Amino acid sequence: MENIKTALYNLHQKHGAKFVRFAGYQMPIQYSNGIIEEHKNTRENAGIFDVSHMGQLFIKGDDSLAKDLEKIFPAELSNAKLNQSKYSFLMNEEAGIYDDLIITKVEGGFNIVLNAACKNTDFKLLSKLLENKYEMILSEELSLIAIQGPKAVQILEKIINGVSDLKFMNGDTFKNLKENIYITRSGYTGEDGFEISIKNDAAVVFVQKLIDEGASLIGLGARDTLRLEAGLCLYGHDMDINKSPVEANLKWAISKNRILEGGFIGCEKIKSQIEKGVSKIRVGIKPEGRIIAREKTSIFSEGDKNIGEITSGTFGPSVQAPVAMGYVENSFSKIDTKVFLEVRGKKYPAIISNLPFYKKSYVKGASK
Amino acid sequence: MSEVKYSKEHEWIKLDGDTAVIGITQHATEMLGDIVFVELPEIGSSVVKDGNAGVVESTKAASDIYTPVSGEIIENNQSIVDDPAKVNADPENEAWFFKLKITDKSEMDSLMNKDEYEKFSKESGS
């Protein structure tokens, strides 16, 4: 199997990265400071994430493309404003999730950011669903860099004038040196931040500038603890083809108008799940004490009934406690319900908890 | 007090009379990353050479701790249970894991000395 290196590979190495194989890529799991330091750096200062393994798909087209995309995705795309981003799902007829993604209306079409492990199958599936009517480019020339944290805006503003005017879940084209780059205000950490799509050959110089302005590199390890504290799902763990957006507790991301008008893949199932309810649902889970419940840990009720399974769990460095997410039978999903987690053969108490575990500090002006 | 010996599972052991102090090595903590959870064997329990004697968890994953010799647990270090970060800070001194009364001192013979362990840990990589 190939092991792809991103444009930033040598820079990661220079900063003491330990690498892991992730979706066919050599990605930094952590740097010399370690996951907790990196996590805290993002929460208190600004962290830089190389997410170039993610798919950056551009689909060229006009109003008819928006209409055709609405036959696939449960998002309102026909009335999307230029540079507006929407979180959405690629689903099957049973509303099982192939991928979760961000769709942004751009000049001349739509940009879609896809999960690394799903991007090639997504591409094939979308080409088929769109009947090859539109030009689709899954870029190999673009890197994707995220900068996240309370100081992300002031650091990026020093390099790219005007980014501080961006609203949450909105993007725009900016000039970096002489090149165009596309920046959205978004992220995956629960912090304010940006994602920057930039040509591979300009990525190293750009990231070095961010470092020189005081941001530091963050690996996939801290990316995981940050997103988990923020209550955000990781595809392949907290959601997959056997779970629907309603079960994943993400029905906020499905437009009410689109449910009313219908016509997207999985619509009937979503409608019926919203009307009749679901048997299992994603919840936040806080173990008591310090015990860490990882993926696949069984969840039991007070009456010792197996009611579900943890889908991700770790120690939350900002919460200063273990945190987890998982699916439980709907009747046990109420906040503060006491449950038990079976870790190494012993059962430990935990409670169903509100998400996020860590309060967000996104910028105001968020649009739905 | 005898010299410090090391196991292939990256534990260190120091024997003083019949009492052995056991912990994990600096090299082990570097491989594990930030330690956020420690579970230790109960006082009074018996452990068998190379058998399970606790768990450490980093932000990444859980790893079993093995005892390099057999014996009865006589003390465990609650301070690392309360503050697991101590294990990263000072693994080969303050952050010892447990003390046991050794059953068979000859079990020490198969363990590595410092030079041998350093060579071993370099070769086994990270």
Side-chain angles (χ1 to χ4, degrees), chain A residues 1-190:
Chain A
M1 279 283 274
E2 53 184 339
N3 235 355
I4 309 162
K5 291 173 179 170
T6 71
L8 297 177
Y9 183 84
N10 291 337
L11 188 73
H12 296 315
Q13 220 167 20
K14 202 178 103 190
H15 286 263
K18 284 187 189 170
F19 291 92
V20 285
R21 195 187 147 88
F22 184 85
Y25 285 80
Q26 280 286 100
M27 298 304 289
I29 181 117
Q30 66 167 83
Y31 301 85
S32 41
N33 284 339
I35 292 174
I36 291 182
E37 271 302 301
E38 291 171 27
H39 178 110
K40 287 182 177 165
N41 245 321
T42 308
R43 289 266 183 262
E44 287 155 23
N45 185 33
I48 307 162
F49 302 75
D50 180 9
V51 284
S52 305
H53 56 317
M54 297 188 80
Q56 298 187 66
L57 175 65
F58 172 69
I59 308 179
K60 195 175 170 185
D62 48 20
D63 292 349
S64 69
L65 171 62
K67 284 272 172 248
D68 282 343
L69 290 176
E70 285 191 338
K71 290 177 195 158
I72 301 170
F73 300 111
E76 287 182 51
L77 298 170
S78 292
N79 63 4
K81 294 191 195 92
L82 184 64
N83 294 317
Q84 193 181 6
S85 299
K86 311 257 182 171
Y87 176 63
S88 198
F89 312 97
L90 182 58
M91 296 180 285
N92 63 16
E93 290 292 347
E94 287 300 296
I97 305 170
Y98 283 118
D99 200 1
D100 66 327
L101 32 81
I102 300 222
I103 307 172
T104 306
K105 166 96 186 101
V106 293
E107 208 76 63
F110 287 89
N111 279 345
I112 308 182
V113 175
L114 309 161
N115 276 304
C118 308
K119 63 182 179 184
N120 293 317
T121 47
D122 287 354
F123 184 86
K124 281 181 206 148
L125 187 58
L126 284 170
S127 317
K128 200 176 130 198
L129 291 168
L130 292 169
E131 297 163 343
N132 301 310
K133 274 194 286 185
Y134 304 94
E135 188 185 345
M136 291 173 54
I137 304 160
L138 185 59
S139 177
E140 288 182 7
E141 275 101 56
L142 291 173
S143 294
L144 190 64
I145 314 295
I147 177 166
Q148 302 275 297
K151 295 197 178 143
V153 58
Q154 66 193 66
I155 288 171
L156 189 58
E157 180 66 39
K158 281 185 195 161
I159 300 162
I160 308 291
N161 210 305
V163 289
S164 53
D165 295 331
L166 280 180
K167 289 184 172 123
F168 183 61
M169 290 299 271
N170 273 268
D172 213 339
T173 304
F174 293 86
K175 275 265 183 278
N176 173 53
L177 306 175
K178 281 173 189 164
E179 301 253 25
N180 278 345
I181 57 173
Y182 196 80
I183 302 180
T184 55
R185 197 160 200 164
S186 53
Y188 190 53
T189 59

Side-chain angles (χ1 to χ4, degrees), chain B residues 20-38:
Chain B
V21 189
I22 291 159
I24 66 172
T25 65
Q26 179 80 37
H27 179 75
T29 61
E30 284 161 13
M31 287 192 295
L32 289 165
D34 296 317
I35 290 163
V36 292
F37 177 82
V38 178

Side-chain angles (χ1 to χ4, degrees), chain B residues 98-115:
Chain B
F98 52 87
K99 294 181 185 176
L100 57 74
K101 198 166 176 212
I102 191 165
T103 326
D104 178 3
K105 282 190 192 174
S106 72
E107 284 181 352
M108 294 288 287
D109 299 343
S110 62
L111 299 170
M112 291 174 275
N113 66 27
K114 195 171 177 62
D115 288 347

Side-chain angles (χ1 to χ4, degrees), chain A residues 18 29-30 33-37 221 225 290-294 313-315 317 343-344 346 348, chain B residues 30-37 39 42 55 57-62 64 81-84 126:
Chain A
K18 284 187 189 170
I29 181 117
Q30 66 167 83
N33 284 339
I35 292 174
I36 291 182
E37 271 302 301
T225 56
R290 295 190 70 100
I291 198 82
I292 298 168
R294 309 234 178 227
T314 188
F315 181 82
V343 179
R344 293 181 284 273
K346 270 197 240 170
Y348 295 89
Chain B
E30 284 161 13
M31 287 192 295
L32 289 165
D34 296 317
I35 290 163
V36 292
F37 177 82
E39 192 174 271
E42 277 172 37
V55 176
E57 294 206 36
S58 71
T59 38
K60 283 177 273 181
D64 287 324
V81 174
D82 299 334
D83 184 7
S126 58

Side-chain angles (χ1 to χ4, degrees), chain B residues 10-24:
Chain B
H10 306 283
E11 282 92 24
W12 56 263
I13 174 167
K14 221 182 320 188
L15 193 63
D16 184 7
D18 285 343
T19 303
V21 189
I22 291 159
I24 66 172

